[in-house]
Amino acid sequence: MARASFPRRSLRRATNPLFEAVRTRVAAVAAEPFGHADPPLVDTLDHPGDPGLFGPASVTWQVMGRATTFIGGIRGLLVQACHPEVVAGVHEHSRYRDDPLGRLSRTAFYVTATAFGAMSEVEQAVRLVRGRHRPVVGESHRGRHYDAGDPGLAAWVHNALTDSFLATHLAYSPHDLGPGGPDRFVSEQRALGALLDGDPLPDTASGLSSWLADHPDVAPSPGMAEAVAFLRNPPLSLGQRAGYRVLFAAAVATLPDRLRDVLDLTDPVFGAPAGHVASRLLSWGLGDSPAWQVALLRTGAVQDVGDFRRPMRREAIGR
């Protein structure tokens, strides 16, 4: 396997102790809510050369490796809540009220494993989701049957995340995806949606956003109101709440008008500026995703495409 390079510029660290202490604190506060489940990709270096579902040349790795995914995840949950049958399944079958941070961590595990994992890790993450979805059947408040395995509902959940990660990257990331980049991201994500049997899976960025914003099944619901209330004020520590409110406002600012109206949310005047500041602060504190870095290492790709805070162990290369 080709050996990865470690340019100094991508791993440069400040020497000022106070500066580093603040950066470490920002990283710890941001990462703590996602540490309530087993970490993903712990054995990924046992699959050398495996590009997974997307690979190092993909737009997916560029989007999912950036700090804007924190905002995109919140937006994705808000969009999912706009569908009464989807949110009824969450409301009636999920343990998010009893174990909210555990559910958040498991969702983050799935997103990370499917984006950056070796193919066997992707398949395992999808199997876990399918297993959790199998018993999720019932009837929504408006009398419609729902089944989490239904292709249309699976498509809503998947497409909501795809659109949200892309929308927040385009709104707040300083990293340009280049000509055709947004459409490439959406097209790549169709491969993941297909593993979940989602249908339809639009193949352009504009087609995807229109499919969600104009979907005829979107409507308010009791489950939606509870989900929005929870997402407004999740059980975070005092030190995390202020930062989370900024991320929430940034997510709301990127929603289409129709979905924002259904959610009964107003467009915060400070949401977009706050999103730019939050994205840069998270990037400064956390750097780009360590999952992206270890996936580059696994595939033998160059390591100078992101801003990674910690050097990977050289002895791990070639495992």
Side-chain angles (χ1 to χ4, degrees), residues 172-257:
Y172 303 125
S173 175
H175 301 282
D176 190 351
L177 298 180
D183 286 344
R184 280 185 58 200
F185 176 72
V186 172
S187 181
E188 289 168 4
Q189 287 295 304
R190 283 165 50 90
L192 177 57
L195 292 179
L196 297 166
D197 295 330
D199 183 57
L201 300 170
D203 58 2
T204 65
S206 61
L208 175 61
S209 61
S210 296
W211 184 83
L212 289 161
D214 301 332
H215 200 287
D217 288 341
V218 165
S221 68
M224 182 208 76
E226 183 170 318
V228 171
F230 175 81
L231 289 168
R232 276 185 184 274
N233 189 30
L236 300 175
S237 70
L238 185 62
Q240 293 165 336
R241 288 177 192 167
Y244 176 84
R245 286 171 184 155
V246 171
L247 300 181
F248 182 84
V252 171
T254 66
L255 289 169
D257 290 342

Side-chain angles (χ1 to χ4, degrees), residues 27 29 35 47 60 64 90 96 100 104-105 108 113 120-121 124 127 140 159 162 219 228 233 262-263 284 304:
V29 169
H47 308 280
T60 290
M64 302 305 294
V90 174
Y96 81 87
L104 176 65
S105 298
S120 62
E121 294 170 311
Q124 174 64 12
R127 281 195 298 271
S140 69
N159 289 339
T162 299
V228 171
N233 189 30
V262 167
L263 292 164
W284 171 75
D304 61 351

